[in-house]
Amino acid sequence: MDREASLAEKVAKDVGGVACVADVTRRQDVERIFSTAKEAFGGVRGVVDIVGMAKLLPLGKFTDADYEWQFDIGVRHAFLA
C-alpha cells in the first residue's frame, strides 16, 4: 500500500502481494485495503505498521493544520486499521 502507484506496485511485486493505492488517513481507503486483502488472501491476520513522518518545527510555529496532519500520520491511520 502506498499513495504512489509505482511504489505500491514495486513492493507488491517484490513480496508477492497485491498493490493498493490509498491514503491510510482516510477511512474509506483503509476499508478498501482490508476488503482487497480479504478478497485476495481470505483476510488479514496481522498488520505491519511502517507509516510515519514528522514535521519538525518549533512548537510555537505549529499551526492547527500542522497538528492535524501530524496526528493523522502518527495516530489516525492506526486507529482506522
Side-chain angles (χ1 to χ4, degrees), residues 1 20-37 44 76-81:
M1 195 299 308
C20 286
V21 178
D23 178 344
V24 295
T25 66
R26 297 177 55 198
R27 180 178 299 276
Q28 63 270 24
D29 284 9
V30 173
E31 289 172 351
R32 184 170 42 81
I33 292 166
F34 279 88
S35 177
T36 299
V44 174
R76 183 181 311 277
H77 78 278
F79 168 77
L80 293 174

Side-chain angles (χ1 to χ4, degrees), residues 56-63 67:
L56 302 175
L57 299 170
L59 187 57
K61 295 199 182 248
F62 245 66
T63 65
Y67 172 80

Side-chain angles (χ1 to χ4, degrees), residues 14 17 30 41 48 72:
D14 289 348
V30 173
F41 306 108
V48 176
D72 283 351

